[in-house]
Amino acid sequence: MSAHKKLAFEVPDTISDHDAIALMLQGNTAWHLLHTDLRLTAEDTVLIPAAAGGVGSLAVQLAKRVGAKVIAMAGTEAKRTIATDLGADAVVYSSTTENLTERIIDAAGEHVTAALEMTGGDVFHATLDALTPRGRLSVFGAVTGANGLVPITQLVAGSKSVTGFWLPSLYSSRTHLNESMNALFTAVADGWLKPLRGRTYRLGQARQAHYDLAARLTTGKTVLDLDS
């Protein structure tokens, strides 16, 4: 089995295999969501869901590096602690959608200017509602399978924008991935970006790994070890 040359990168000796795997998919996704799609600045208050997950944990650190105020979302007390340790300024408990918009605004002390979203349904609408006028929302998934129909009148009245992001859309050009991979490798080598290492499963535990991911029992980057 071989990888396409556009998706193959030489890993510096200072980067472990586990970290390199996390940076390739989750790291690139977090980097481009914040920098390419949202164009995040130090003036922003940004909402980051699943802040103890693979993408979210890296996004929290990247957003803090920019200087943005970070409001994280997490579904358990343990995950809330992880988000806080990663640098989040406040954490919203996301296991229920009841009054979610109000809880986001309360945690931020204001409406958020930028947000990531990957749940769909009620969470999408709560996130959109929490945006300030001219706020930006970048959607990169819908793990519940529920669509979040965009209310046009709300977009117009609030001058809000909603964009979609999918990392493979950048695969046709090496330029974008070169920039992000170099930035991510440098950040890890410099010590300020630390991929959150989740559980490593043996190949024979692949079913369990998929179950745990679907049940949201994992944190950080989950790895399937083909050699064990």
Side-chain angles (χ1 to χ4, degrees), residues 65-78:
R65 185 69 175 185
V66 170
K69 182 178 181 180
V70 174
I71 310 304
M73 295 174 65
T76 67
E77 190 62 39

Side-chain angles (χ1 to χ4, degrees), residues 5 20 28 33 39 59 63 82 114 135 158 200 210:
K5 63 181 180 179
N28 273 313
L33 280 168
R39 300 184 182 278
I82 290 173
T200 297
H210 282 286

Side-chain angles (χ1 to χ4, degrees), residues 111-194:
H111 285 73
V112 298
T113 60
L116 306 180
E117 213 293 288
M118 41 75 73
T119 303
D122 291 342
V123 176
F124 169 85
H125 289 290
T127 302
L128 183 62
D129 289 344
L131 284 181
T132 188
R134 299 187 65 190
R136 298 103 65 205
L137 172 59
S138 183
V139 180
F140 64 107
V143 296
T144 62
N147 286 324
L149 299 179
V150 181
I152 295 177
T153 54
Q154 184 178 359
L155 294 186
V156 174
S159 298
K160 300 177 182 181
S161 61
V162 178
T163 57
F165 179 79
W166 191 45
L167 185 64
S169 66
L170 301 181
Y171 289 174
S172 61
S173 171
R174 178 83 178 191
T175 302
H176 294 296
L177 292 181
N178 275 343
E179 179 184 6
S180 53
M181 284 307 305
N182 288 336
L184 292 166
F185 282 150
T186 299
V188 173
D190 288 347
W192 65 261
L193 182 66
K194 298 179 180 180

